[in-house]
Amino acid sequence: MSTKKRDAERPTAGAIRLIDSCILCEILSVPEKCNKEDHVKYCKAFDVFQNAGGRFVLPLATLIETGNHIAHAKRANGQEKRSAAMRLVNYVRATMDSKSPFLKSEIWNADVGAWLVNYPDNAMRGKGLGDVSIEVDCEIVKRTFGVTGLTVEVWTKDKHIGESEASK
């Protein structure tokens, strides 16, 4: 089983992608965090990946960061914020119910203290706590849904996610 970082390339059948907030903001058209061209690109990539049998996990950090981006959008009007917030709520509900194409992660059961030990070193490399939690989530998903030959990917634009020893 391998762990990879992916942007919007071709899908891998039977793979699982953990969606980072930078991608989810594009898919959900979050005000001030999305542009029309990238929205179309990532929505198409989502559909192609799903149609090829791929599944998605929304890490806790992604939900929190995306919710913060929606709430803090300064130039968005109330309708834009509410619409983006409702789209996020719908994705969260689908995730909580493990409705296809989403899988529910077991990050809530993780030993947070164990991964906080290395956080100061990660912070010095520019890796935030949310990024670390996504990597931990990736490892949990691999253990939970581990099937021979299954690929677990972090779908992100960020280059520093997935660089830890645990995810190589």
Side-chain angles (χ1 to χ4, degrees):
M1 190 168 9
S2 64
T3 302
K4 298 179 184 177
K5 285 181 14 180
R6 296 185 68 99
D7 202 334
E9 315 98 48
R10 68 186 186 288
T12 304
I16 297 171
R17 283 188 177 166
L18 285 83
I19 303 177
D20 192 17
S21 60
C22 58
I23 302 295
L24 189 58
C25 285
E26 296 290 356
I27 292 170
L28 297 179
S29 290
V30 172
E32 301 173 21
K33 295 292 180 181
C34 172
N35 71 59
K36 192 172 192 169
E37 182 178 297
D38 283 347
H39 170 73
V40 170
K41 171 180 146 182
Y42 288 109
C43 284
K44 180 179 177 187
F46 183 98
D47 291 341
V48 168
F49 187 79
Q50 178 184 357
N51 291 336
R55 302 287 300 270
F56 299 94
V57 171
L58 294 176
L60 179 60
T62 296
L63 302 177
I64 293 168
E65 290 172 6
T66 303
N68 285 344
H69 290 316
I70 293 168
H72 298 151
K74 291 181 174 38
R75 293 183 305 275
N77 65 41
Q79 179 59 35
E80 291 171 322
K81 280 187 180 186
R82 178 167 293 283
S83 293
M86 289 307 301
R87 289 188 295 273
L88 178 61
V89 165
N90 290 335
Y91 271 49
V92 172
R93 285 187 178 141
T95 299
M96 297 307 295
D97 295 338
S98 292
K99 288 185 181 174
S100 187
F102 296 102
L103 298 170
K104 186 176 176 183
S105 172
E106 298 300 321
I107 188 75
W108 291 101
N109 299 328
D111 180 2
V112 176
W115 53 274
L116 285 176
V117 170
N118 295 323
Y119 177 65
D121 292 334
N122 286 322
M124 295 302 295
R125 290 191 297 271
K127 190 179 294 186
L129 203 50
D131 300 333
V132 172
S133 74
I134 288 173
E135 290 176 348
V136 170
D137 218 350
C138 188
E139 293 304 315
I140 291 169
V141 167
K142 286 183 353 185
R143 284 193 307 272
T144 304
F145 302 104
V147 177
T148 305
L150 181 69
T151 301
V152 177
E153 308 165 338
V154 177
W155 193 14
T156 185
K157 298 178 191 179
D158 296 341
K159 301 206 182 315
H160 59 274
I161 295 179
E163 293 176 345
S164 71
E165 290 304 313
S167 65
K168 287 186 180 176

